[in-house]
Each structure stands twice: as structure tokens, then as C-alpha cells.
Amino acid sequence: MDACAWRVTLAAAALMALAAGGRSSLGLFVSPLNTASGMGLAAISFAMALGQLAIGLAQPFLGRIADRHGAACVIVAGAWTLAMSTMLPAVWPLPVVVGGALVLIAVTGSAVGSNGLLIGEVGRAVPAARAGLAVGLVGAGASVGQLLLGPATQWAIDRHGWNLALLGTGALSLLALPLARPFRRRQRRAAPSPAQPVADVLRDARFWRVAASFGVCGFHVAFLAVHMPGVIERCGLPASLAGPWIAVAGAANIAGSVAIGLAMKRWDSAWLLAGLYGLRALGIAALLALPVSAWVMMGFALVMGASHMATLPPTSALIARQHGVERLGTLFGVVMLVHQVGSFAGIWLGGWAAQATGSDTPLWLVDIGLALVAARLVWPRARRAVRGEAALAAS
């Protein structure tokens, strides 16, 4: 990759670290915000779920703006708004303020760093042969954010209280301002060929199969991000284990994201994507089958972390391979809309099930079933890809 491509890739990875780290650490504030506002776990979960849905609704529009004008203006506006909306509940923990801020934090966080916003920019800046690795590095950036901000936020809450910790999280969002510079319009690469009309893509069943599988991914990762601290407590383990759990998952995510980018040079993306969803189903089944302990929970963090952002490179590769990169920001924005519908369901149903039953088992069982469905959605594409490669080799 040339210098411009590296700058865009590394800036995108840093933005993902900032946004994803703050998003994953937000789960650590659920219990303090519940106590301070008196909203109840179900109400807070619903507000956070609405935020995930709002992210999805905003993604196609953010992607379209970035496709036309570059992502820099979106990132700058998002950074200022994210900082203010994150600080607000620390100062006024009223139910209406907390509920509205949780929705706004989600949307503005996606403007700072999200798959739908950044993947199109990286796809245009990086040569096709390196795209898998580049997207893997962006996904690894999200993991670095988890690794650093998870324990740091837990330490800040324990040492200085949740109010100051939340104010610090908001101030940290302003680091996105200098990171927006590589995304200025003049540094974008020209498209090599005319773009396929978005309307034609949206009539393609293959596009929606991949999008639906990514919706399952949203259900899974959003549930983990918001409810895993509560899951750990409901398992009878120390609440302080939540910070290390996030860190271990983040470290495994770095390895998984880079490894999948390298693996895409040898194996078809659809095969890899189906395998990742299968791995998630096996990991959850193992958690349910094994006796509860800190070691088992950390092993679960390794498996879930390794498959967390690893779905991103093969998913974006499948979209780009079929429909090109010129409209990738817009198209991946639509994919992210489906992803966030899944996120809405995972967060809301996760909080509702825990409050109604006192257990997370029903959600885990649903998650296993959905992971298997996602693997099946991309599996026919994998079979067709292998047959196509065999026919090409025989010709």
C-alpha cells in the first residue's frame, strides 16, 4: 500500500478504537445510571436498543455523505456532538436526559467511527489485493479500543466514581478531530469503473443474504457489549471481572481481525464467514455446558473476541466483490442498518429476558440458533464460489 492508503487505514483503525472502545465501555455505566436515574434495567436497555436502531437508520445517509463529500466533515461533527452527549448524563442523571443521551451517544459514535462510514473510504484508498488485510486492521482497531478503554474505564469508575469517569469518556471523543484529516476529499482514490446503481443492488437477493447474516452479528455483539457485565454478576462472579473480560475479548479481537484478513488471501470469504458464525454457536454452547468459573468466562471472552470483528472483512469483501467499491459506503450503510436492527433486538431482549426471568439462558439459546442461521445464509454462496473456482481452474 502507498502512504495515502496507510494513512487512511491507520486513521480508520484509530477512529474505530475510539468509537468501539467507548461503546463497549458504556456497558459499565448501565448499573450506575440505573441507580442514579431510577429508570430500571428494562428501560435503560430499551433506550440503548433505540440507539442501536437509530445508528442503523443513520448509516445509509452517513455513508452517502461520505461517498459524495468525504468522511472528514461527518467525523468532525460527530466528535463534538458525541463529547457533549456523553457528558450530559453525568451532570443531569434525570430519566429523560439519560434516555435521550443514550440514543444520541449511539448515533454520534457511529458518525465518529463505524463500519458503514469507514469501510467505503478504506475500500477506495486501498488496492483490492490488500483490502482484506486493511479492513482486518480497522477491525483490530476496534479491539484495541476495547483492550485499552475497558480496564481504564473500570479503574476510573472504581477510583473516581462513575460521574467523573463518564465525563472523561466524553472528553476522550475529541481525539477524533485530528484523526479526520486523512479523510479529506482530496486524498480519495478515483474509482476504476462506473458504479453499479444502488437500486439494482437492493434488488439482488445475494446482497440481502449477506446483510441478514450481518444482522445476526449485530444481535450477538450488541448483547455482549451492553449486557456482559450483568451476565458476569448474574453468574455469581465478581463485578470487577467485567473490565478484564472486555480487555481479553479485545485482545482476542485484534488477533482474529488480522488473522481473517490474512486468511482471505487463501480461502473464499464466504467459507470463512460461515465458519465464524459456527464458532460463535460452539462458544455459547460451551459456556452453557461448562461449570461457571472465572477461567471459563475468560475462555469465552477469547472465543467471542476472536470472532467479534472478524466477520467484518469477509462481509465487506462479499459486498465489494459483487457490487464494486464506488458505492461501498452507501451499500455498507444499508448492511449496517440491518446490523443495527439486530443490535436493537439483542440489547432490548437481553435486558427484558434478564429482568423477567433472572437468567440469560433464553437469550443464549436464541443466539445459538441465530448464529447457525447466519452460517446457512452465506453457505450457499461459499459452495457456488468453490464450484466457480473449480470450473475456472478446469478451463
Side-chain angles (χ1 to χ4, degrees), residues 264-313:
M264 286 170 60
K265 295 182 178 181
R266 297 187 59 186
W267 292 287
D268 185 82
S269 298
W271 280 111
L272 294 171
L273 192 56
L276 288 169
Y277 288 124
L279 178 63
R280 288 183 180 181
L282 287 174
I284 297 168
L287 177 67
L288 295 177
L290 294 173
V292 176
S293 71
W295 287 107
V296 169
M297 197 61 70
M298 288 304 172
F300 182 64
L302 283 172
V303 174
M304 294 299 102
S307 64
H308 187 169
M309 292 294 289
T311 59
L312 179 59

CSV table of all heavy atoms in Angstrom, one decimal, residues 264-313:
chain,number,residue,atom,x,y,z
A,264,MET,N,-8.0,-14.5,4.1
A,264,MET,CA,-8.8,-14.2,2.9
A,264,MET,C,-7.9,-14.2,1.7
A,264,MET,O,-8.5,-14.3,0.6
A,264,MET,CB,-9.5,-12.8,3.1
A,264,MET,CG,-10.7,-12.8,4.0
A,264,MET,SD,-11.3,-11.1,4.4
A,264,MET,CE,-11.7,-10.6,2.7
A,265,LYS,N,-6.6,-14.2,1.8
A,265,LYS,CA,-5.8,-14.4,0.6
A,265,LYS,C,-5.7,-15.8,0.1
A,265,LYS,O,-5.4,-16.1,-1.0
A,265,LYS,CB,-4.3,-14.0,1.0
A,265,LYS,CG,-4.2,-12.5,1.3
A,265,LYS,CD,-2.7,-12.1,1.6
A,265,LYS,CE,-2.6,-10.6,1.9
A,265,LYS,NZ,-1.2,-10.3,2.1
A,266,ARG,N,-6.1,-16.8,1.0
A,266,ARG,CA,-6.0,-18.2,0.6
A,266,ARG,C,-7.4,-18.9,0.5
A,266,ARG,O,-7.6,-19.8,-0.3
A,266,ARG,CB,-5.2,-19.0,1.7
A,266,ARG,CG,-3.8,-18.5,1.8
A,266,ARG,CD,-3.0,-19.4,2.8
A,266,ARG,NE,-3.0,-20.8,2.3
A,266,ARG,CZ,-2.5,-21.8,3.0
A,266,ARG,NH1,-2.0,-21.6,4.2
A,266,ARG,NH2,-2.6,-23.0,2.5
A,267,TRP,N,-8.4,-18.4,1.3
A,267,TRP,CA,-9.7,-19.1,1.3
A,267,TRP,C,-10.8,-18.1,0.9
A,267,TRP,O,-10.7,-16.9,1.2
A,267,TRP,CB,-10.0,-19.7,2.7
A,267,TRP,CG,-9.1,-20.8,3.0
A,267,TRP,CD1,-9.1,-22.1,2.5
A,267,TRP,CD2,-8.0,-20.8,3.9
A,267,TRP,NE1,-8.1,-22.9,3.0
A,267,TRP,CE2,-7.4,-22.1,3.9
A,267,TRP,CE3,-7.4,-19.9,4.8
A,267,TRP,CZ2,-6.3,-22.5,4.7
A,267,TRP,CZ3,-6.4,-20.2,5.6
A,267,TRP,CH2,-5.8,-21.5,5.5
A,268,ASP,N,-11.9,-18.6,0.4
A,268,ASP,CA,-13.0,-17.8,0.0
A,268,ASP,C,-13.7,-17.1,1.2
A,268,ASP,O,-13.8,-17.7,2.3
A,268,ASP,CB,-14.0,-18.6,-0.8
A,268,ASP,CG,-15.2,-17.8,-1.3
A,268,ASP,OD1,-15.0,-17.2,-2.4
A,268,ASP,OD2,-16.2,-17.7,-0.6
A,269,SER,N,-14.1,-15.9,1.0
A,269,SER,CA,-14.6,-15.1,2.1
A,269,SER,C,-15.9,-15.7,2.7
A,269,SER,O,-16.2,-15.7,3.9
A,269,SER,CB,-14.9,-13.7,1.7
A,269,SER,OG,-13.8,-13.0,1.3
A,270,ALA,N,-16.7,-16.3,1.8
A,270,ALA,CA,-18.0,-16.9,2.3
A,270,ALA,C,-17.7,-18.1,3.2
A,270,ALA,O,-18.4,-18.3,4.2
A,270,ALA,CB,-18.9,-17.3,1.1
A,271,TRP,N,-16.8,-19.0,2.9
A,271,TRP,CA,-16.4,-20.1,3.7
A,271,TRP,C,-16.0,-19.6,5.1
A,271,TRP,O,-16.4,-20.1,6.1
A,271,TRP,CB,-15.3,-20.9,3.1
A,271,TRP,CG,-15.7,-21.9,2.0
A,271,TRP,CD1,-15.4,-21.8,0.7
A,271,TRP,CD2,-16.4,-23.1,2.2
A,271,TRP,NE1,-15.9,-22.9,0.0
A,271,TRP,CE2,-16.6,-23.7,0.9
A,271,TRP,CE3,-17.0,-23.7,3.3
A,271,TRP,CZ2,-17.3,-24.9,0.7
A,271,TRP,CZ3,-17.7,-24.9,3.1
A,271,TRP,CH2,-17.8,-25.4,1.8
A,272,LEU,N,-15.1,-18.6,5.1
A,272,LEU,CA,-14.6,-18.1,6.4
A,272,LEU,C,-15.7,-17.5,7.2
A,272,LEU,O,-15.8,-17.7,8.4
A,272,LEU,CB,-13.5,-17.0,6.1
A,272,LEU,CG,-12.3,-17.5,5.4
A,272,LEU,CD1,-11.4,-16.3,5.0
A,272,LEU,CD2,-11.5,-18.4,6.4
A,273,LEU,N,-16.7,-16.8,6.5
A,273,LEU,CA,-17.8,-16.1,7.3
A,273,LEU,C,-18.7,-17.2,7.9
A,273,LEU,O,-19.1,-17.1,9.1
A,273,LEU,CB,-18.5,-15.2,6.3
A,273,LEU,CG,-19.6,-14.3,7.0
A,273,LEU,CD1,-18.9,-13.4,8.0
A,273,LEU,CD2,-20.2,-13.4,5.9
A,274,ALA,N,-19.0,-18.2,7.1
A,274,ALA,CA,-19.8,-19.3,7.7
A,274,ALA,C,-19.1,-20.0,8.9
A,274,ALA,O,-19.8,-20.3,9.9
A,274,ALA,CB,-20.1,-20.3,6.6
A,275,GLY,N,-17.8,-20.2,8.8
A,275,GLY,CA,-17.1,-20.8,9.9
A,275,GLY,C,-17.1,-19.9,11.2
A,275,GLY,O,-17.2,-20.4,12.3
A,276,LEU,N,-17.0,-18.6,11.0
A,276,LEU,CA,-17.0,-17.7,12.1
A,276,LEU,C,-18.4,-17.8,12.9
A,276,LEU,O,-18.4,-17.8,14.1
A,276,LEU,CB,-16.8,-16.2,11.7
A,276,LEU,CG,-15.3,-15.9,11.3
A,276,LEU,CD1,-15.2,-14.6,10.6
A,276,LEU,CD2,-14.4,-16.0,12.5
A,277,TYR,N,-19.5,-17.8,12.1
A,277,TYR,CA,-20.8,-17.9,12.8
A,277,TYR,C,-20.9,-19.3,13.5
A,277,TYR,O,-21.5,-19.4,14.6
A,277,TYR,CB,-21.9,-17.7,11.8
A,277,TYR,CG,-22.0,-16.2,11.4
A,277,TYR,CD1,-22.0,-15.9,10.0
A,277,TYR,CD2,-22.2,-15.2,12.3
A,277,TYR,CE1,-22.1,-14.6,9.7
A,277,TYR,CE2,-22.3,-13.9,12.0
A,277,TYR,CZ,-22.2,-13.6,10.6
A,277,TYR,OH,-22.3,-12.3,10.2
A,278,GLY,N,-20.4,-20.3,12.9
A,278,GLY,CA,-20.4,-21.6,13.6
A,278,GLY,C,-19.5,-21.6,14.8
A,278,GLY,O,-19.9,-22.2,15.8
A,279,LEU,N,-18.4,-20.9,14.8
A,279,LEU,CA,-17.6,-20.8,16.0
A,279,LEU,C,-18.3,-20.1,17.1
A,279,LEU,O,-18.2,-20.5,18.3
A,279,LEU,CB,-16.3,-20.0,15.7
A,279,LEU,CG,-15.3,-19.8,16.8
A,279,LEU,CD1,-14.8,-21.1,17.3
A,279,LEU,CD2,-14.1,-18.9,16.3
A,280,ARG,N,-19.1,-19.1,16.8
A,280,ARG,CA,-19.8,-18.4,17.8
A,280,ARG,C,-20.8,-19.3,18.5
A,280,ARG,O,-21.0,-19.4,19.7
A,280,ARG,CB,-20.6,-17.2,17.2
A,280,ARG,CG,-19.7,-16.0,16.9
A,280,ARG,CD,-20.5,-14.9,16.4
A,280,ARG,NE,-19.6,-13.8,16.0
A,280,ARG,CZ,-20.0,-12.6,15.6
A,280,ARG,NH1,-21.3,-12.4,15.4
A,280,ARG,NH2,-19.2,-11.6,15.3
A,281,ALA,N,-21.6,-20.1,17.7
A,281,ALA,CA,-22.5,-21.1,18.2
A,281,ALA,C,-21.9,-22.1,19.2
A,281,ALA,O,-22.4,-22.4,20.2
A,281,ALA,CB,-23.3,-21.8,17.1
A,282,LEU,N,-20.7,-22.6,18.8
A,282,LEU,CA,-20.0,-23.5,19.6
A,282,LEU,C,-19.5,-22.9,20.9
A,282,LEU,O,-19.6,-23.5,22.0
A,282,LEU,CB,-18.8,-24.1,18.8
A,282,LEU,CG,-19.1,-25.1,17.7
A,282,LEU,CD1,-17.8,-25.4,17.0
A,282,LEU,CD2,-19.7,-26.3,18.3
A,283,GLY,N,-19.1,-21.6,20.8
A,283,GLY,CA,-18.6,-21.0,22.0
A,283,GLY,C,-19.7,-20.8,23.1
A,283,GLY,O,-19.5,-21.0,24.3
A,284,ILE,N,-20.9,-20.4,22.6
A,284,ILE,CA,-22.0,-20.2,23.5
A,284,ILE,C,-22.5,-21.5,24.1
A,284,ILE,O,-22.8,-21.6,25.3
A,284,ILE,CB,-23.2,-19.5,22.8
A,284,ILE,CG1,-22.7,-18.1,22.3
A,284,ILE,CG2,-24.4,-19.3,23.7
A,284,ILE,CD1,-23.7,-17.4,21.4
A,285,ALA,N,-22.5,-22.5,23.3
A,285,ALA,CA,-22.9,-23.9,23.8
A,285,ALA,C,-21.9,-24.3,24.8
A,285,ALA,O,-22.4,-24.9,25.9
A,285,ALA,CB,-23.0,-24.9,22.6
A,286,ALA,N,-20.7,-24.1,24.7
A,286,ALA,CA,-19.7,-24.5,25.7
A,286,ALA,C,-19.9,-23.7,27.0
A,286,ALA,O,-19.7,-24.3,28.1
A,286,ALA,CB,-18.3,-24.2,25.1
A,287,LEU,N,-20.2,-22.4,26.9
A,287,LEU,CA,-20.4,-21.6,28.1
A,287,LEU,C,-21.6,-22.2,28.9
A,287,LEU,O,-21.5,-22.3,30.1
A,287,LEU,CB,-20.7,-20.2,27.7
A,287,LEU,CG,-21.1,-19.2,28.9
A,287,LEU,CD1,-19.8,-19.0,29.8
A,287,LEU,CD2,-21.6,-17.9,28.3
A,288,LEU,N,-22.7,-22.6,28.2
A,288,LEU,CA,-23.8,-23.2,28.9
A,288,LEU,C,-23.5,-24.5,29.5
A,288,LEU,O,-24.1,-24.9,30.5
A,288,LEU,CB,-25.0,-23.2,27.9
A,288,LEU,CG,-25.5,-21.9,27.4
A,288,LEU,CD1,-26.7,-22.2,26.4
A,288,LEU,CD2,-26.0,-21.0,28.5
A,289,ALA,N,-22.7,-25.3,28.8
A,289,ALA,CA,-22.4,-26.7,29.2
A,289,ALA,C,-21.4,-26.8,30.4
A,289,ALA,O,-21.5,-27.7,31.2
A,289,ALA,CB,-21.9,-27.5,28.1
A,290,LEU,N,-20.4,-25.9,30.4
A,290,LEU,CA,-19.4,-25.9,31.4
A,290,LEU,C,-19.8,-25.3,32.7
A,290,LEU,O,-20.6,-24.4,32.7
A,290,LEU,CB,-18.1,-25.3,30.9
A,290,LEU,CG,-17.5,-26.0,29.7
A,290,LEU,CD1,-16.3,-25.1,29.1
A,290,LEU,CD2,-17.0,-27.3,30.0
A,291,PRO,N,-19.2,-25.7,33.9
A,291,PRO,CA,-19.5,-25.1,35.1
A,291,PRO,C,-19.0,-23.7,35.2
A,291,PRO,O,-17.9,-23.3,34.6
A,291,PRO,CB,-18.7,-26.0,36.2
A,291,PRO,CG,-17.7,-26.7,35.4
A,291,PRO,CD,-18.3,-26.9,34.0
A,292,VAL,N,-19.7,-22.8,35.9
A,292,VAL,CA,-19.3,-21.4,35.9
A,292,VAL,C,-18.1,-21.2,36.7
A,292,VAL,O,-17.9,-21.7,37.8
A,292,VAL,CB,-20.5,-20.6,36.5
A,292,VAL,CG1,-20.1,-19.1,36.7
A,292,VAL,CG2,-21.8,-20.7,35.7
A,293,SER,N,-17.1,-20.4,36.1
A,293,SER,CA,-15.9,-20.0,36.8
A,293,SER,C,-15.3,-18.9,36.1
A,293,SER,O,-15.6,-18.6,34.9
A,293,SER,CB,-14.9,-21.2,36.9
A,293,SER,OG,-14.4,-21.5,35.6
A,294,ALA,N,-14.4,-18.2,36.7
A,294,ALA,CA,-13.7,-17.1,36.1
A,294,ALA,C,-12.9,-17.6,34.9
A,294,ALA,O,-12.8,-16.9,33.8
A,294,ALA,CB,-12.8,-16.4,37.1
A,295,TRP,N,-12.3,-18.8,35.0
A,295,TRP,CA,-11.5,-19.3,33.8
A,295,TRP,C,-12.4,-19.6,32.6
A,295,TRP,O,-12.0,-19.3,31.5
A,295,TRP,CB,-10.7,-20.6,34.3
A,295,TRP,CG,-9.6,-20.3,35.2
A,295,TRP,CD1,-9.5,-20.5,36.5
A,295,TRP,CD2,-8.3,-19.7,34.8
A,295,TRP,NE1,-8.3,-20.1,37.0
A,295,TRP,CE2,-7.6,-19.6,36.0
A,295,TRP,CE3,-7.8,-19.2,33.6
A,295,TRP,CZ2,-6.3,-19.0,36.0
A,295,TRP,CZ3,-6.5,-18.6,33.7
A,295,TRP,CH2,-5.8,-18.6,34.8
A,296,VAL,N,-13.5,-20.2,32.9
A,296,VAL,CA,-14.5,-20.5,31.8
A,296,VAL,C,-14.9,-19.2,31.1
A,296,VAL,O,-15.0,-19.0,29.9
A,296,VAL,CB,-15.7,-21.3,32.3
A,296,VAL,CG1,-16.8,-21.3,31.2
A,296,VAL,CG2,-15.3,-22.7,32.7
A,297,MET,N,-15.2,-18.2,32.0
A,297,MET,CA,-15.7,-16.9,31.4
A,297,MET,C,-14.6,-16.2,30.6
A,297,MET,O,-14.9,-15.6,29.5
A,297,MET,CB,-16.1,-16.0,32.6
A,297,MET,CG,-16.9,-14.8,32.2
A,297,MET,SD,-18.5,-15.3,31.4
A,297,MET,CE,-19.4,-15.9,32.8
A,298,MET,N,-13.3,-16.3,31.0
A,298,MET,CA,-12.2,-15.8,30.2
A,298,MET,C,-12.0,-16.6,28.9
A,298,MET,O,-11.7,-16.0,27.9
A,298,MET,CB,-11.0,-15.7,31.0
A,298,MET,CG,-11.0,-14.6,32.1
A,298,MET,SD,-11.3,-13.0,31.4
A,298,MET,CE,-11.5,-12.0,32.9
A,299,GLY,N,-12.2,-17.9,29.0
A,299,GLY,CA,-12.1,-18.7,27.8
A,299,GLY,C,-13.2,-18.3,26.8
A,299,GLY,O,-13.0,-18.2,25.6
A,300,PHE,N,-14.4,-18.0,27.3
A,300,PHE,CA,-15.5,-17.5,26.5
A,300,PHE,C,-15.1,-16.1,25.8
A,300,PHE,O,-15.5,-15.9,24.7
A,300,PHE,CB,-16.7,-17.4,27.3
A,300,PHE,CG,-18.0,-16.9,26.6
A,300,PHE,CD1,-18.5,-17.7,25.6
A,300,PHE,CD2,-18.6,-15.7,26.9
A,300,PHE,CE1,-19.7,-17.3,24.9
A,300,PHE,CE2,-19.7,-15.3,26.3
A,300,PHE,CZ,-20.3,-16.1,25.3
A,301,ALA,N,-14.5,-15.3,26.6
A,301,ALA,CA,-14.0,-14.0,26.1
A,301,ALA,C,-13.1,-14.2,24.9
A,301,ALA,O,-13.1,-13.5,23.9
A,301,ALA,CB,-13.4,-13.2,27.2
A,302,LEU,N,-12.2,-15.2,25.0
A,302,LEU,CA,-11.2,-15.4,23.9
A,302,LEU,C,-12.0,-15.9,22.6
A,302,LEU,O,-11.7,-15.3,21.5
A,302,LEU,CB,-10.3,-16.5,24.3
A,302,LEU,CG,-9.1,-16.2,25.3
A,302,LEU,CD1,-8.4,-17.4,25.7
A,302,LEU,CD2,-8.2,-15.2,24.6
A,303,VAL,N,-12.9,-16.8,22.8
A,303,VAL,CA,-13.7,-17.3,21.6
A,303,VAL,C,-14.5,-16.2,21.0
A,303,VAL,O,-14.5,-16.0,19.8
A,303,VAL,CB,-14.5,-18.5,22.0
A,303,VAL,CG1,-15.4,-18.9,20.8
A,303,VAL,CG2,-13.7,-19.6,22.4
A,304,MET,N,-15.2,-15.5,21.8
A,304,MET,CA,-16.1,-14.4,21.3
A,304,MET,C,-15.3,-13.2,20.7
A,304,MET,O,-15.7,-12.7,19.7
A,304,MET,CB,-17.0,-13.9,22.4
A,304,MET,CG,-18.0,-14.9,22.9
A,304,MET,SD,-19.2,-15.5,21.6
A,304,MET,CE,-18.4,-17.1,21.3
A,305,GLY,N,-14.2,-12.9,21.4
A,305,GLY,CA,-13.3,-11.9,20.9
A,305,GLY,C,-12.7,-12.2,19.5
A,305,GLY,O,-12.7,-11.4,18.6
A,306,ALA,N,-12.3,-13.4,19.4
A,306,ALA,CA,-11.7,-13.9,18.1
A,306,ALA,C,-12.6,-13.8,16.9
A,306,ALA,O,-12.2,-13.6,15.8
A,306,ALA,CB,-11.1,-15.3,18.3
A,307,SER,N,-13.9,-14.0,17.2
A,307,SER,CA,-14.9,-14.0,16.1
A,307,SER,C,-15.7,-12.7,16.0
A,307,SER,O,-16.6,-12.5,15.2
A,307,SER,CB,-15.9,-15.1,16.3
A,307,SER,OG,-16.6,-15.0,17.5
A,308,HIS,N,-15.4,-11.7,16.9
A,308,HIS,CA,-16.2,-10.5,17.0
A,308,HIS,C,-16.1,-9.6,15.7
A,308,HIS,O,-17.0,-9.7,14.9
A,308,HIS,CB,-15.7,-9.7,18.2
A,308,HIS,CG,-16.5,-8.5,18.6
A,308,HIS,ND1,-16.4,-7.8,19.7
A,308,HIS,CD2,-17.5,-7.9,17.9
A,308,HIS,CE1,-17.2,-6.8,19.8
A,308,HIS,NE2,-17.9,-6.8,18.6
A,309,MET,N,-15.0,-8.9,15.5
A,309,MET,CA,-14.9,-8.0,14.4
A,309,MET,C,-14.4,-8.8,13.2
A,309,MET,O,-14.3,-8.3,12.1
A,309,MET,CB,-14.0,-6.9,14.6
A,309,MET,CG,-14.5,-5.9,15.6
A,309,MET,SD,-16.0,-5.0,15.0
A,309,MET,CE,-15.2,-3.9,13.8
A,310,ALA,N,-14.0,-10.1,13.4
A,310,ALA,CA,-13.5,-10.9,12.2
A,310,ALA,C,-14.6,-11.1,11.1
A,310,ALA,O,-14.2,-11.4,10.0
A,310,ALA,CB,-13.1,-12.3,12.8
A,311,THR,N,-15.8,-10.9,11.4
A,311,THR,CA,-16.9,-11.0,10.4
A,311,THR,C,-16.8,-9.8,9.4
A,311,THR,O,-17.4,-9.9,8.3
A,311,THR,CB,-18.3,-11.1,11.0
A,311,THR,OG1,-18.5,-9.9,11.8
A,311,THR,CG2,-18.4,-12.3,11.9
A,312,LEU,N,-16.2,-8.7,9.8
A,312,LEU,CA,-16.3,-7.5,9.0
A,312,LEU,C,-15.5,-7.7,7.7
A,312,LEU,O,-16.1,-7.4,6.6
A,312,LEU,CB,-15.7,-6.3,9.8
A,312,LEU,CG,-15.6,-5.0,9.1
A,312,LEU,CD1,-17.0,-4.6,8.6
A,312,LEU,CD2,-15.1,-3.9,10.1
A,313,PRO,N,-14.2,-8.1,7.7
A,313,PRO,CA,-13.5,-8.2,6.4
A,313,PRO,C,-14.2,-9.1,5.3
A,313,PRO,O,-14.4,-8.7,4.2
A,313,PRO,CB,-12.2,-8.7,6.7
A,313,PRO,CG,-12.0,-8.3,8.2
A,313,PRO,CD,-13.3,-8.4,8.8
